[in-house]
Amino acid sequence: MAKTVLSLKGLSKSFPGVRALNQVSFTLQEGETLALLGENGAGKSTLIKCLTGANVPSEGTIELLGKEYTSISPILARKNGVSAVYQEFNLVPDLPIVENVFMGNNPGNGIVVDYKQMLKRCREVFDSFGIDIDPTANVSTLSPAMMQIVEIAKAIMLDLKILILDEPTAPLTQKETEILFHIIREQKKKGTAFIYISHRLEEIFEICDRAVILRDGEKVGETLIRDTSRAELIRMMIGRELTNYYPDHVSKATEEVLLKVENLSGNGAENVSLELHRGEILGVAGLVGAGRTELMNVIFCSVPKTQGWIEIRGKAFHGSQPWHAIAEGVAYLPEDRKRLGLLLDKSVASNMTLASIKRFCRFGVINQKKEYDCIDSYCKKLKVKTPSYEKEVQHLSGGNQQKVIVGKWLATNSDVIIFDEPTRGIDVGTKHEIYEIIDQLADEGHAILMVSSEFEELIGVADRIVVMSEGKLVGQVEKDRFDKELLLDMASGDR
């Protein structure tokens, strides 16, 4: 029988005015992969911080390797082999990989570091992963996927017992995801237990053994993965049946072309030509690194084009800066919403009118009533959940942050709206709301360019899909031919 490596008993955590965790109890077995599921704000991050020592629980106990604690410090977590790999990596880019792997854990006599031993052990770990990485290279030379591998190697050097993975496949291609899953399976054979957090439910069924579901800070379900279904997991997470995961979309696309690009090149995109019609949702598919985001940045003038041309509403567009695109009614919701889409330390209100503040000014004075009416209107229309419009946007969930960005661009009266990975890091319930917003915007006459690496998402939402690979547009699929395998084949360059 498998040994219990972690046991939570009645774990609770309160912040001023908020009970983030309420009497959560579950166990984790040696060599098990446990999915920790729930909507944004369900309490997953708070629970993980209690396990790694960033938060002190208000009540309850944490039993690690047979020893019971009322709270855990980061040093104690590390001593007990508990480590976490977050979406934001904890690495020093300008240092070699080997020094990052052994940071704070250098072998030697306490005075002289045994660099030779560090290199040897580092190479052994990467060889066991089946990956060829030069440990002497700087971390800054690595892709996000390889940075994640370095984080895992770093954890393994600490006599790893429990590894927490938070949205680990968000930056990965399908091939890189397979490498990650291989590493997880190999480590499980050695007895390592995993807590796996992901909004991509297909991964849960592929890699996890059991699931614990949180809702509003409470444990609402626990099940073996083999004994459940996707629909049941969603029901437990959001507290209701979600019969139609995607909207019942009927295309309202017209003949009017709002955006046209011809032989457009720049930023890694090559000779791309496409048309986007009023009321259309045009999906842009491709694997990570296919050049989709690079193309969107050229269209939005974040990066200059090297050749080709752009037409907006039938007229040549010669803009060279993002504000030129904005002035012509083009909006861009970037993939990295926290870094590029929002001012995190500013309020919901400030972010909402950031791109349209001139609308509310007269002779240099802001009409505050007019501005408030706009903010109130879009927050209600988009169902933004916030205790106050003055709340800093960094304290909102990922889904509500995305809604604030949508509101920001709607306030500019944009005709063409580019959504780049609109549901990345967003829970299933809020994903459904984002899909409905996109559908509604198309019905209202906006033209939508929707970039996504999740082919099922594009199949469920788009009217038409174009596929990119290695910077080039390699094909187009009409709605009656939508098929995940076909899209994957095209994106992989197999067709």
Side-chain angles (χ1 to χ4, degrees):
M1 186 174 174
K3 175 183 168 187
T4 298
V5 292
L6 172 69
S7 179
L8 304 187
K9 298 173 185 175
L11 201 70
S12 299
K13 176 62 180 175
S14 296
F15 298 99
V18 178
R19 194 162 176 86
L21 285 178
N22 186 28
Q23 298 291 313
V24 174
S25 302
F26 65 80
T27 61
L28 178 66
Q29 310 301 317
E30 189 177 60
E32 179 184 35
T33 302
L34 176 75
L36 185 62
L37 304 178
E39 294 189 276
N40 290 1
K44 303 187 301 295
S45 295
T46 302
L47 190 149
I48 295 313
K49 287 175 181 176
C50 287
L51 292 180
T52 55
N55 281 341
V56 176
S58 306
E59 297 173 44
T61 60
I62 300 169
E63 187 180 298
L64 270 175
L65 308 177
K67 292 183 180 178
E68 195 167 80
Y69 307 93
T70 54
S71 67
I72 289 176
S73 67
I75 293 173
L76 187 59
R78 183 170 173 162
K79 185 180 174 184
N80 280 278
V82 179
S83 190
V85 177
Y86 298 102
Q87 294 180 61
E88 290 81 26
F89 301 133
N90 187 26
L91 300 170
V92 182
D94 295 328
L95 286 182
I97 293 165
V98 62
E99 291 184 30
N100 274 275
V101 168
F102 283 95
M103 191 167 291
N105 185 37
N106 296 333
N109 60 13
I111 300 172
V112 179
V113 172
D114 190 344
Y115 202 78
K116 208 173 190 179
Q117 177 70 4
M118 286 165 59
L119 281 173
K120 180 174 179 289
R121 288 177 62 191
C122 205
R123 288 193 174 104
E124 286 173 354
V125 168
F126 291 137
D127 286 347
S128 73
F129 291 170
I131 293 171
D132 183 20
I133 297 180
D134 177 8
T136 63
N138 278 7
V139 163
S140 59
T141 64
L142 299 178
S143 69
M146 291 303 108
M147 287 184 190
Q148 191 172 76
I149 300 300
V150 171
E151 285 275 25
I152 294 172
K154 187 173 163 185
I156 286 170
M157 294 303 178
L158 299 172
D159 191 21
L160 185 66
K161 298 290 189 300
I162 300 169
L163 182 58
I164 301 160
L165 297 174
D166 185 8
E167 294 288 349
T169 62
L172 307 188
T173 65
Q174 185 175 8
K175 186 175 180 181
E176 290 164 343
T177 298
E178 289 169 4
I179 292 170
L180 174 66
F181 287 176
H182 168 73
I183 292 170
I184 291 173
R185 291 183 180 111
E186 289 303 306
Q187 287 302 125
K188 283 177 67 174
K189 290 176 187 175
K190 297 174 183 177
T192 304
F194 290 84
I195 295 178
Y196 192 93
I197 301 170
S198 178
H199 293 305
R200 296 179 173 177
L201 294 185
E202 64 274 13
E203 296 176 2
I204 302 303
F205 286 92
E206 183 171 349
I207 201 67
C208 295
D209 304 302
R210 191 163 50 98
V212 166
I213 299 93
L214 301 181
R215 189 169 71 242
D216 298 328
E218 298 186 353
K219 177 182 160 186
V220 294
E222 182 175 338
T223 181
L224 290 170
I225 295 300
R226 65 171 181 264
D227 293 340
T228 193
S229 66
R230 179 190 178 100
E232 179 61 16
L233 288 180
I234 291 173
R235 187 194 64 74
M236 284 191 281
M237 278 190 278
I238 67 177
R240 66 184 191 277
E241 297 291 341
L242 195 59
T243 50
N244 293 321
Y245 190 60
Y246 299 105
D248 291 327
H249 177 67
V250 178
S251 178
K252 300 286 179 64
T254 69
E255 294 297 316
E256 181 185 0
V257 177
L258 289 184
L259 175 70
K260 181 178 181 181
V261 303
E262 284 283 340
N263 300 318
L264 193 65
S265 297
N267 197 31
E270 295 181 40
N271 297 314
V272 175
S273 299
L274 59 82
E275 290 185 353
L276 177 65
H277 297 252
R278 184 179 291 281
E280 181 180 31
I281 303 173
L282 176 60
V284 184
L287 303 176
V288 175
R292 299 159 304 157
T293 294
E294 290 77 4
L295 174 65
M296 299 306 128
N297 277 307
V298 174
I299 292 173
F300 194 61
C301 302
S302 300
V303 179
K305 67 178 186 288
T306 54
Q307 73 170 41
W309 66 92
I310 302 171
E311 289 182 8
I312 299 174
R313 297 184 210 86
K315 294 181 181 178
F317 173 61
H318 301 293
S320 59
Q321 299 293 337
W323 57 83
H324 298 147
I326 294 167
E328 287 298 322
V330 179
Y332 182 36
L333 286 80
E335 176 181 10
D336 189 344
R337 60 178 170 269
K338 289 186 178 180
R339 192 169 63 88
L340 302 174
L342 296 164
L343 298 177
L344 292 174
D345 60 347
K346 300 299 179 185
S347 68
V348 170
S350 297
N351 275 277
M352 191 76 81
T353 56
L354 185 65
S356 58
I357 196 66
K358 284 185 179 179
R359 279 183 55 196
F360 313 107
C361 291
R362 187 178 174 119
F363 305 119
V365 179
I366 297 174
N367 184 327
Q368 292 184 329
K369 183 183 183 305
K370 191 175 177 183
E371 183 189 21
Y372 176 86
D373 288 345
C374 174
I375 295 162
D376 186 58
S377 169
Y378 284 122
C379 280
K380 285 177 178 173
K381 177 179 180 176
L382 300 170
K383 299 176 183 174
V384 177
K385 294 175 183 173
T386 175
S388 162
Y389 298 155
E390 297 308 312
K391 185 81 169 175
E392 287 183 6
V393 79
Q394 64 185 326
H395 299 304
L396 271 57
S397 69
N400 284 298
Q401 288 177 350
Q402 190 73 301
K403 291 177 186 179
V404 170
I405 303 175
V406 175
K408 176 180 79 171
W409 289 119
L410 290 182
T412 66
N413 295 318
S414 300
D415 275 340
V416 176
I417 305 178
I418 302 169
F419 285 85
D420 194 349
E421 299 287 0
T423 63
R424 173 159 290 174
I426 292 175
D427 60 76
V428 288
T430 312
K431 274 186 179 184
H432 180 70
E433 291 181 38
I434 296 294
Y435 299 146
E436 288 185 323
I437 288 168
I438 291 172
D439 187 63
Q440 183 183 350
L441 292 174
D443 285 349
E444 291 172 359
H446 299 275
I448 309 295
L449 261 178
M450 182 176 170
V451 177
S452 179
S453 51
E454 294 189 37
F455 296 152
E456 287 181 5
E457 181 171 80
L458 293 177
I459 289 169
V461 177
D463 299 314
R464 183 166 55 98
I465 298 173
V466 294
V467 184
M468 291 191 69
S469 177
E470 297 181 353
K472 298 175 183 177
L473 198 153
V474 295
Q476 173 177 295
V477 183
E478 300 296 332
K479 197 167 185 78
D480 59 358
R481 291 183 59 235
F482 281 0
D483 178 78
K484 186 177 177 180
E485 248 182 69
L486 172 62
L487 294 175
L488 183 57
D489 285 347
M490 293 171 72
S492 303
D494 296 338
R495 293 199 181 192

